[in-house]
Structures are given as structure tokens and as C-alpha cells.
Amino acid sequence: MEDKGISRAVISRLPRYYRYLGQLVDEGVEKISSNDLSILMKVTASQIRQDLNNFGGFGQQGYGYNVKFLYEEIANILGLDKKHNLVLIGAGNLGHALANYVNFERRGFIIKGIFDKNENVHGKKIRDVEVRPMSEMKEFVLKNDIDIAVLTIPKESAVTVAAELVNCGIKAIWNFAHVDLNVPDNIVVENVHLSESLMKLSYDLNNTEKGN
Amino acid sequence: MEDKGISRAVISRLPRYYRYLGQLVDEGVEKISSNDLSILMKVTASQIRQDLNNFGGFGQQGYGYNVKFLYEEIANILGLDKKHNLVLIGAGNLGHALANYVNFERRGFIIKGIFDKNENVHGKKIRDVEVRPMSEMKEFVLKNDIDIAVLTIPKESAVTVAAELVNCGIKAIWNFAHVDLNVPDNIVVENVHLSESLMKLSYDLNNTEKGN
């Protein structure tokens, strides 16, 4: 496995490379030097070279990077060349926002089912996917080859629902509930804790103001 | 300034300490040892001690941490003891989700105004705050002592709107648009790039599967 031992810092920068390279592909740019990419992305050219060297390096001295090739290689590294079936648990505003985001689908993440405990939304559709009662969740996950669950439910129910999903063989949870899920180590959990993000902003704002 | 030179890694862990300590306060727990906190938070006791030592350390040997005191100190460090006025730009599903999240208000972040370019939502209210046309944004921000703007608009308009907000004296932007904003260095920007979070999940899922 060529990408063993790559630091989390590098991994966490890859989606940003992917985004910029995607824009370059869309604009018809065929090659780019690490210097030009550096100016565009506002990071040092040496960081770019170091980061991309982790994956064997795709640049050629005096030529630069082949944009489309690099874009596709990063997609492969990120696993975006595979399709994953998702269920979305929680059809509130945040659930709607995520379900309506077409880019996820374009990158291979397909929302197969949506579940909510609120009877009033059962049977309604979000982009052609019906909202079902929570009681149907387990059977649906077992029958539809679901890899990923997206949790946009309150923290009070998130831990229990996560445990049920793990029992049904889910492999990864994209967790928007403001709580740490208690799942086995082999389950991938990616947390999006929005209030923690706002607190970081608050810290920076506070310290900028002090510095003025 | 006692908190100069604290690493971003420590800062980014503070909101999680704040969350756990808040739960302990709610449960009426008065003191906790670094070992017990370590078990609860699933990090090492030595990391807890190191992290909290950055702020002078609030623990006493043989006594542990005074929960309420530590909770309030971290709140102060994060700037949560201050009130900040926000505007929300974009009243779509994500904007609704954020505007409806009462915890932000409890932590001092007050949504004063909401703006959207869609005429159909003008005059509607989200938790008593009226949605206004974009043409009123500048004057509103100038007149209402607004510190923070939350951007939940498409990337196509985010860069322009961010520049307008900066011209009106905004100090921080919580950016959900999937684009890097081009703002001066003294403006605090906290990005929440949801598709990048999903790509990290994808990477981990891909590498877990390979490892199996």
C-alpha cells in the first residue's frame, strides 16, 4: 500500500488540491508548475512538492504537473473512483441541505434512503428519495448495500442510532450530531461539529481584537 | 497576552473540552481528576494536563480540576464571554439549519439579520429574524454593529459578497461556500467545506477496506 504512513495533515490537504485541480480541468488547463499552483492556492511551492511526493510525485522537472492525471490520481487516493451508497438519518433543514447537494452524487456518494422519526415528513421526497420511518432503517440498510450513514439528528438519539447502524454493517458515519459516537475502532467516523467550528472562529476573533 | 504561541492543535481541541466540561456542569459534577476526564474523553491524561497547562493549568495536585472554574476559563479563552452580532447570508436549507440552532445564541452569537437574493423569501421570518434582500445588506451591517457574517451562498457569489462585507467592517466570516475567500489577513475566516469532510471520510473508508 503506497500511501501507508501519510500524515493526517497531508491527507486533510488533498481535498483542497482536488478542488483546485478540478477547476483547472474545467478551465481546460493541461499542465501547471508547482510555482503556478502555489500562487493559485496560496501555499508554498515546496509544500506542494512535498505533499505530492508522498504519493510518488506526479511532476516532471521542467514540465510541471499534468493536471488531469494528477486530478484523477488524487481522486483515486481519496477513493472517489468508487461508488458508495449512503443513508441519511434526519430530514430536517441540515438533512435537506445535504440531500440537495448534487456534488456529493457526482463524486460517487449516492443517497439511497432517508429516515426521520417525524411522521409528517414520511412519504415526502427529497430529490426523488422518499423519507421513511426510523422503524424501516435497519432492514433497508441490510438490503441495500449501504456503506455510509449521515447523521443529522439531535445528540440525544445519535449514539443509539449509530450503534444500530453499526450492527447492520455500516462502515462509516458522517456525524453532524454534537456528540462523540461510541463505535468500534474499525468504523470510520468523520465529525462535523459546527459549534466547535464557531468557537474556533470566536477564539481567532477574540485574539485578533486583542492584537489590534 | 498569556495565550500567545499556543498551537492550533491545542486551540482546536479546546471546544471539545468545553463541551465535556459543560456536560459535567449540567450533571452537577464539581471536580474531576485528569485521569477521570481522560477516560471520559478517550484521550490520555498526559495530553489533558499538557493542553490545560498551556493556559497556566487549572488543576491542583491531589484535588483535580474545579469543573465550573475550568469551564468558564475555557469559555473566556474562546471568547464566549463576549456577545457577537451576526448576519446570515443565504436563507436556504443550510441557512435555516444554522438560524434554528439555538445553542449558538446561548454562546453569545446573535443572528441580527438574514439576507437572501431570492424574492420569494423576503419578509419571511426564521426565529423572529426577517429575511431581507441583498440590497439592504451593506447598510444593515454598517448600522447594527455586526462582527461576523455567515455565508451559506453558492461559491459563485461568495467571493464578491465577502469583499462587500469586509468593506462594511465585518471582522470574521464563517464560510460554508465551497471556495477560498480572498480577504485581507486581518479578517478571520473559518471554513466549513462539507465536501472536503466527506472526501476525508472517503479516504479513511477506502484505506480501512484495503486493510481488511
Side-chain angles (χ1 to χ4, degrees), chain B residues 90-125:
Chain B
N93 287 314
L94 184 56
H96 269 80
L98 296 174
N100 279 314
Y101 194 59
V102 289
N103 266 344
F104 294 149
E105 211 154 285
R106 212 182 293 157
R107 283 163 191 164
F109 302 96
I110 319 292
I111 296 185
K112 287 284 183 179
I114 303 176
F115 298 85
D116 199 286
K117 67 172 187 178
N118 179 0
E119 283 182 17
N120 297 327
V121 296
H122 296 158
K124 292 198 176 163
K125 287 190 173 182

mmCIF file of all heavy atoms in Angstrom, chain B residues 90-125:
data_model
loop_
_atom_site.group_PDB
_atom_site.id
_atom_site.type_symbol
_atom_site.label_atom_id
_atom_site.label_comp_id
_atom_site.label_asym_id
_atom_site.label_seq_id
_atom_site.Cartn_x
_atom_site.Cartn_y
_atom_site.Cartn_z
ATOM 1 N N GLY B 90 -27.778 34.045 3.004
ATOM 2 C CA GLY B 90 -28.244 32.803 2.376
ATOM 3 C C GLY B 90 -29.259 32.111 3.265
ATOM 4 O O GLY B 90 -28.911 31.562 4.308
ATOM 5 N N ALA B 91 -30.540 32.172 2.862
ATOM 6 C CA ALA B 91 -31.613 31.593 3.681
ATOM 7 C C ALA B 91 -32.125 30.285 3.074
ATOM 8 O O ALA B 91 -33.324 30.014 3.082
ATOM 9 C CB ALA B 91 -32.751 32.607 3.858
ATOM 10 N N GLY B 92 -31.219 29.497 2.546
ATOM 11 C CA GLY B 92 -31.586 28.171 2.033
ATOM 12 C C GLY B 92 -31.660 27.169 3.189
ATOM 13 O O GLY B 92 -31.749 27.560 4.353
ATOM 14 N N ASN B 93 -31.616 25.891 2.847
ATOM 15 C CA ASN B 93 -31.733 24.858 3.876
ATOM 16 C C ASN B 93 -30.630 24.962 4.926
ATOM 17 O O ASN B 93 -30.900 24.873 6.119
ATOM 18 C CB ASN B 93 -31.671 23.465 3.233
ATOM 19 C CG ASN B 93 -32.941 23.131 2.480
ATOM 20 O OD1 ASN B 93 -34.040 23.346 2.979
ATOM 21 N ND2 ASN B 93 -32.791 22.640 1.266
ATOM 22 N N LEU B 94 -29.403 25.164 4.465
ATOM 23 C CA LEU B 94 -28.298 25.250 5.419
ATOM 24 C C LEU B 94 -28.436 26.500 6.286
ATOM 25 O O LEU B 94 -28.238 26.455 7.511
ATOM 26 C CB LEU B 94 -26.960 25.250 4.666
ATOM 27 C CG LEU B 94 -25.707 25.229 5.523
ATOM 28 C CD1 LEU B 94 -25.692 24.040 6.472
ATOM 29 C CD2 LEU B 94 -24.453 25.210 4.642
ATOM 30 N N GLY B 95 -28.810 27.612 5.682
ATOM 31 C CA GLY B 95 -29.050 28.847 6.431
ATOM 32 C C GLY B 95 -30.131 28.648 7.486
ATOM 33 O O GLY B 95 -29.981 29.071 8.636
ATOM 34 N N HIS B 96 -31.210 27.979 7.090
ATOM 35 C CA HIS B 96 -32.279 27.676 8.042
ATOM 36 C C HIS B 96 -31.755 26.812 9.203
ATOM 37 O O HIS B 96 -32.070 27.070 10.361
ATOM 38 C CB HIS B 96 -33.424 26.929 7.351
ATOM 39 C CG HIS B 96 -34.486 27.833 6.801
ATOM 40 N ND1 HIS B 96 -34.351 28.495 5.609
ATOM 41 C CD2 HIS B 96 -35.691 28.200 7.302
ATOM 42 C CE1 HIS B 96 -35.442 29.215 5.383
ATOM 43 N NE2 HIS B 96 -36.269 29.056 6.402
ATOM 44 N N ALA B 97 -30.986 25.797 8.861
ATOM 45 C CA ALA B 97 -30.459 24.900 9.895
ATOM 46 C C ALA B 97 -29.641 25.697 10.912
ATOM 47 O O ALA B 97 -29.791 25.527 12.121
ATOM 48 C CB ALA B 97 -29.608 23.798 9.262
ATOM 49 N N LEU B 98 -28.783 26.594 10.417
ATOM 50 C CA LEU B 98 -27.927 27.366 11.318
ATOM 51 C C LEU B 98 -28.752 28.364 12.131
ATOM 52 O O LEU B 98 -28.555 28.517 13.335
ATOM 53 C CB LEU B 98 -26.827 28.088 10.533
ATOM 54 C CG LEU B 98 -25.836 27.165 9.821
ATOM 55 C CD1 LEU B 98 -24.888 27.981 8.954
ATOM 56 C CD2 LEU B 98 -25.040 26.333 10.821
ATOM 57 N N ALA B 99 -29.699 29.038 11.464
ATOM 58 C CA ALA B 99 -30.505 30.051 12.156
ATOM 59 C C ALA B 99 -31.363 29.415 13.246
ATOM 60 O O ALA B 99 -31.682 30.055 14.247
ATOM 61 C CB ALA B 99 -31.381 30.795 11.155
ATOM 62 N N ASN B 100 -31.748 28.170 13.054
ATOM 63 C CA ASN B 100 -32.594 27.494 14.026
ATOM 64 C C ASN B 100 -31.825 26.862 15.176
ATOM 65 O O ASN B 100 -32.413 26.295 16.095
ATOM 66 C CB ASN B 100 -33.428 26.406 13.335
ATOM 67 C CG ASN B 100 -34.639 26.998 12.647
ATOM 68 O OD1 ASN B 100 -35.340 27.822 13.219
ATOM 69 N ND2 ASN B 100 -34.877 26.585 11.412
ATOM 70 N N TYR B 101 -30.489 26.941 15.113
ATOM 71 C CA TYR B 101 -29.698 26.272 16.120
ATOM 72 C C TYR B 101 -29.528 27.187 17.338
ATOM 73 O O TYR B 101 -28.697 28.090 17.355
ATOM 74 C CB TYR B 101 -28.340 25.880 15.533
ATOM 75 C CG TYR B 101 -27.601 24.893 16.392
ATOM 76 C CD1 TYR B 101 -28.172 23.654 16.686
ATOM 77 C CD2 TYR B 101 -26.354 25.185 16.917
ATOM 78 C CE1 TYR B 101 -27.500 22.743 17.491
ATOM 79 C CE2 TYR B 101 -25.687 24.275 17.718
ATOM 80 C CZ TYR B 101 -26.273 23.070 18.001
ATOM 81 O OH TYR B 101 -25.614 22.174 18.804
ATOM 82 N N VAL B 102 -30.353 26.962 18.354
ATOM 83 C CA VAL B 102 -30.401 27.885 19.492
ATOM 84 C C VAL B 102 -29.123 27.929 20.306
ATOM 85 O O VAL B 102 -28.843 28.910 20.989
ATOM 86 C CB VAL B 102 -31.578 27.556 20.443
ATOM 87 C CG1 VAL B 102 -32.890 27.909 19.786
ATOM 88 C CG2 VAL B 102 -31.558 26.106 20.871
ATOM 89 N N ASN B 103 -28.318 26.875 20.235
ATOM 90 C CA ASN B 103 -27.101 26.853 21.040
ATOM 91 C C ASN B 103 -26.132 27.978 20.692
ATOM 92 O O ASN B 103 -25.374 28.431 21.529
ATOM 93 C CB ASN B 103 -26.387 25.506 20.905
ATOM 94 C CG ASN B 103 -26.798 24.551 22.012
ATOM 95 O OD1 ASN B 103 -27.368 24.973 23.021
ATOM 96 N ND2 ASN B 103 -26.512 23.278 21.843
ATOM 97 N N PHE B 104 -26.155 28.404 19.420
ATOM 98 C CA PHE B 104 -25.260 29.487 19.036
ATOM 99 C C PHE B 104 -25.574 30.730 19.867
ATOM 100 O O PHE B 104 -24.680 31.413 20.354
ATOM 101 C CB PHE B 104 -25.409 29.817 17.545
ATOM 102 C CG PHE B 104 -24.960 28.707 16.641
ATOM 103 C CD1 PHE B 104 -25.554 28.520 15.401
ATOM 104 C CD2 PHE B 104 -23.934 27.853 17.017
ATOM 105 C CE1 PHE B 104 -25.133 27.495 14.559
ATOM 106 C CE2 PHE B 104 -23.513 26.825 16.180
ATOM 107 C CZ PHE B 104 -24.120 26.647 14.950
ATOM 108 N N GLU B 105 -26.856 30.998 20.012
ATOM 109 C CA GLU B 105 -27.297 32.177 20.746
ATOM 110 C C GLU B 105 -26.870 32.098 22.215
ATOM 111 O O GLU B 105 -26.403 33.064 22.792
ATOM 112 C CB GLU B 105 -28.811 32.261 20.643
ATOM 113 C CG GLU B 105 -29.329 33.669 20.664
ATOM 114 C CD GLU B 105 -30.657 33.757 19.955
ATOM 115 O OE1 GLU B 105 -30.672 33.718 18.704
ATOM 116 O OE2 GLU B 105 -31.668 33.817 20.657
ATOM 117 N N ARG B 106 -27.035 30.884 22.755
ATOM 118 C CA ARG B 106 -26.687 30.678 24.149
ATOM 119 C C ARG B 106 -25.204 30.968 24.386
ATOM 120 O O ARG B 106 -24.775 31.320 25.478
ATOM 121 C CB ARG B 106 -27.020 29.226 24.521
ATOM 122 C CG ARG B 106 -27.435 29.035 25.957
ATOM 123 C CD ARG B 106 -27.701 27.570 26.261
ATOM 124 N NE ARG B 106 -28.855 27.039 25.560
ATOM 125 C CZ ARG B 106 -29.040 25.750 25.302
ATOM 126 N NH1 ARG B 106 -28.140 24.852 25.675
ATOM 127 N NH2 ARG B 106 -30.112 25.325 24.672
ATOM 128 N N ARG B 107 -24.387 30.790 23.348
ATOM 129 C CA ARG B 107 -22.948 31.025 23.488
ATOM 130 C C ARG B 107 -22.530 32.415 23.049
ATOM 131 O O ARG B 107 -21.357 32.698 22.844
ATOM 132 C CB ARG B 107 -22.186 29.948 22.714
ATOM 133 C CG ARG B 107 -22.179 28.661 23.504
ATOM 134 C CD ARG B 107 -21.827 27.451 22.709
ATOM 135 N NE ARG B 107 -22.112 26.254 23.493
ATOM 136 C CZ ARG B 107 -22.194 25.044 22.997
ATOM 137 N NH1 ARG B 107 -22.005 24.839 21.723
ATOM 138 N NH2 ARG B 107 -22.462 24.021 23.774
ATOM 139 N N GLY B 108 -23.502 33.284 22.853
ATOM 140 C CA GLY B 108 -23.180 34.687 22.599
ATOM 141 C C GLY B 108 -23.200 35.111 21.144
ATOM 142 O O GLY B 108 -22.815 36.232 20.823
ATOM 143 N N PHE B 109 -23.612 34.206 20.247
ATOM 144 C CA PHE B 109 -23.663 34.560 18.827
ATOM 145 C C PHE B 109 -25.107 34.864 18.436
ATOM 146 O O PHE B 109 -25.940 33.956 18.364
ATOM 147 C CB PHE B 109 -23.125 33.416 17.970
ATOM 148 C CG PHE B 109 -21.718 33.037 18.328
ATOM 149 C CD1 PHE B 109 -21.467 31.978 19.191
ATOM 150 C CD2 PHE B 109 -20.642 33.759 17.829
ATOM 151 C CE1 PHE B 109 -20.175 31.643 19.546
ATOM 152 C CE2 PHE B 109 -19.343 33.429 18.189
ATOM 153 C CZ PHE B 109 -19.111 32.372 19.039
ATOM 154 N N ILE B 110 -25.393 36.137 18.203
ATOM 155 C CA ILE B 110 -26.772 36.565 17.990
ATOM 156 C C ILE B 110 -27.003 36.904 16.521
ATOM 157 O O ILE B 110 -26.359 37.818 15.984
ATOM 158 C CB ILE B 110 -27.087 37.830 18.832
ATOM 159 C CG1 ILE B 110 -26.477 37.752 20.232
ATOM 160 C CG2 ILE B 110 -28.596 38.105 18.862
ATOM 161 C CD1 ILE B 110 -27.084 36.716 21.126
ATOM 162 N N ILE B 111 -27.901 36.187 15.877
ATOM 163 C CA ILE B 111 -28.209 36.491 14.473
ATOM 164 C C ILE B 111 -29.119 37.708 14.417
ATOM 165 O O ILE B 111 -30.260 37.670 14.868
ATOM 166 C CB ILE B 111 -28.865 35.282 13.772
ATOM 167 C CG1 ILE B 111 -27.875 34.115 13.735
ATOM 168 C CG2 ILE B 111 -29.297 35.665 12.345
ATOM 169 C CD1 ILE B 111 -28.361 32.905 12.975
ATOM 170 N N LYS B 112 -28.584 38.801 13.889
ATOM 171 C CA LYS B 112 -29.323 40.059 13.842
ATOM 172 C C LYS B 112 -30.066 40.220 12.523
ATOM 173 O O LYS B 112 -31.134 40.839 12.475
ATOM 174 C CB LYS B 112 -28.345 41.236 14.011
ATOM 175 C CG LYS B 112 -27.825 41.395 15.424
ATOM 176 C CD LYS B 112 -28.892 42.015 16.308
ATOM 177 C CE LYS B 112 -28.375 42.250 17.714
ATOM 178 N NZ LYS B 112 -29.404 42.877 18.559
ATOM 179 N N GLY B 113 -29.472 39.732 11.448
ATOM 180 C CA GLY B 113 -30.097 39.919 10.143
ATOM 181 C C GLY B 113 -29.857 38.723 9.238
ATOM 182 O O GLY B 113 -28.829 38.045 9.362
ATOM 183 N N ILE B 114 -30.816 38.462 8.353
ATOM 184 C CA ILE B 114 -30.676 37.374 7.383
ATOM 185 C C ILE B 114 -30.951 37.963 5.998
ATOM 186 O O ILE B 114 -31.900 38.738 5.823
ATOM 187 C CB ILE B 114 -31.673 36.234 7.680
ATOM 188 C CG1 ILE B 114 -31.467 35.723 9.120
ATOM 189 C CG2 ILE B 114 -31.536 35.098 6.669
ATOM 190 C CD1 ILE B 114 -32.476 34.662 9.553
ATOM 191 N N PHE B 115 -30.118 37.599 5.031
ATOM 192 C CA PHE B 115 -30.237 38.170 3.691
ATOM 193 C C PHE B 115 -30.234 37.060 2.642
ATOM 194 O O PHE B 115 -29.545 36.047 2.802
ATOM 195 C CB PHE B 115 -29.077 39.143 3.435
ATOM 196 C CG PHE B 115 -29.087 40.291 4.395
ATOM 197 C CD1 PHE B 115 -28.494 40.168 5.651
ATOM 198 C CD2 PHE B 115 -29.754 41.465 4.093
ATOM 199 C CE1 PHE B 115 -28.542 41.205 6.576
ATOM 200 C CE2 PHE B 115 -29.815 42.504 5.005
ATOM 201 C CZ PHE B 115 -29.209 42.370 6.243
ATOM 202 N N ASP B 116 -31.042 37.277 1.608
ATOM 203 C CA ASP B 116 -31.090 36.300 0.530
ATOM 204 C C ASP B 116 -31.461 37.024 -0.754
ATOM 205 O O ASP B 116 -32.184 38.021 -0.735
ATOM 206 C CB ASP B 116 -32.124 35.207 0.846
ATOM 207 C CG ASP B 116 -31.901 33.946 0.036
ATOM 208 O OD1 ASP B 116 -32.197 33.954 -1.185
ATOM 209 O OD2 ASP B 116 -31.403 32.943 0.595
ATOM 210 N N LYS B 117 -30.972 36.502 -1.882
ATOM 211 C CA LYS B 117 -31.297 37.166 -3.154
ATOM 212 C C LYS B 117 -32.652 36.730 -3.699
ATOM 213 O O LYS B 117 -33.203 37.375 -4.587
ATOM 214 C CB LYS B 117 -30.189 36.922 -4.178
ATOM 215 C CG LYS B 117 -30.058 35.482 -4.637
ATOM 216 C CD LYS B 117 -29.065 35.384 -5.799
ATOM 217 C CE LYS B 117 -29.087 33.973 -6.365
ATOM 218 N NZ LYS B 117 -28.202 33.783 -7.507
ATOM 219 N N ASN B 118 -33.216 35.653 -3.132
ATOM 220 C CA ASN B 118 -34.481 35.122 -3.621
ATOM 221 C C ASN B 118 -35.671 35.929 -3.084
ATOM 222 O O ASN B 118 -35.959 35.920 -1.889
ATOM 223 C CB ASN B 118 -34.587 33.650 -3.197
ATOM 224 C CG ASN B 118 -35.889 33.014 -3.634
ATOM 225 O OD1 ASN B 118 -36.742 33.653 -4.257
ATOM 226 N ND2 ASN B 118 -36.052 31.738 -3.287
ATOM 227 N N GLU B 119 -36.375 36.601 -3.995
ATOM 228 C CA GLU B 119 -37.507 37.466 -3.613
ATOM 229 C C GLU B 119 -38.589 36.725 -2.836
ATOM 230 O O GLU B 119 -39.267 37.305 -1.995
ATOM 231 C CB GLU B 119 -38.163 38.072 -4.856
ATOM 232 C CG GLU B 119 -37.373 39.227 -5.449
ATOM 233 C CD GLU B 119 -38.094 39.833 -6.647
ATOM 234 O OE1 GLU B 119 -39.304 39.585 -6.801
ATOM 235 O OE2 GLU B 119 -37.420 40.534 -7.426
ATOM 236 N N ASN B 120 -38.757 35.450 -3.150
ATOM 237 C CA ASN B 120 -39.847 34.689 -2.539
ATOM 238 C C ASN B 120 -39.719 34.526 -1.018
ATOM 239 O O ASN B 120 -40.698 34.240 -0.344
ATOM 240 C CB ASN B 120 -39.936 33.287 -3.165
ATOM 241 C CG ASN B 120 -40.266 33.374 -4.634
ATOM 242 O OD1 ASN B 120 -40.979 34.281 -5.062
ATOM 243 N ND2 ASN B 120 -39.726 32.449 -5.419
ATOM 244 N N VAL B 121 -38.512 34.674 -0.521
ATOM 245 C CA VAL B 121 -38.337 34.507 0.931
ATOM 246 C C VAL B 121 -38.232 35.833 1.679
ATOM 247 O O VAL B 121 -38.210 35.855 2.908
ATOM 248 C CB VAL B 121 -37.111 33.612 1.278
ATOM 249 C CG1 VAL B 121 -37.323 32.199 0.748
ATOM 250 C CG2 VAL B 121 -35.818 34.206 0.733
ATOM 251 N N HIS B 122 -38.194 36.945 0.944
ATOM 252 C CA HIS B 122 -38.103 38.250 1.623
ATOM 253 C C HIS B 122 -39.330 38.484 2.488
ATOM 254 O O HIS B 122 -40.452 38.228 2.070
ATOM 255 C CB HIS B 122 -37.946 39.387 0.604
ATOM 256 C CG HIS B 122 -36.669 39.308 -0.165
ATOM 257 N ND1 HIS B 122 -36.472 39.902 -1.386
ATOM 258 C CD2 HIS B 122 -35.506 38.672 0.115
ATOM 259 C CE1 HIS B 122 -35.251 39.654 -1.816
ATOM 260 N NE2 HIS B 122 -34.644 38.904 -0.925
ATOM 261 N N GLY B 123 -39.092 38.960 3.705
ATOM 262 C CA GLY B 123 -40.200 39.223 4.625
ATOM 263 C C GLY B 123 -40.543 38.022 5.496
ATOM 264 O O GLY B 123 -41.162 38.168 6.538
ATOM 265 N N LYS B 124 -40.126 36.830 5.072
ATOM 266 C CA LYS B 124 -40.359 35.657 5.923
ATOM 267 C C LYS B 124 -39.450 35.723 7.148
ATOM 268 O O LYS B 124 -38.420 36.391 7.134
ATOM 269 C CB LYS B 124 -40.083 34.368 5.136
ATOM 270 C CG LYS B 124 -41.121 34.159 4.033
ATOM 271 C CD LYS B 124 -41.157 32.745 3.519
ATOM 272 C CE LYS B 124 -42.283 32.609 2.490
ATOM 273 N NZ LYS B 124 -42.170 31.414 1.657
ATOM 274 N N LYS B 125 -39.829 35.025 8.187
ATOM 275 C CA LYS B 125 -39.038 35.072 9.408
ATOM 276 C C LYS B 125 -38.482 33.702 9.783
ATOM 277 O O LYS B 125 -39.163 32.692 9.621
ATOM 278 C CB LYS B 125 -39.887 35.610 10.559
ATOM 279 C CG LYS B 125 -40.141 37.103 10.444
ATOM 280 C CD LYS B 125 -40.760 37.675 11.693
ATOM 281 C CE LYS B 125 -40.820 39.205 11.554
ATOM 282 N NZ LYS B 125 -41.372 39.831 12.760
#
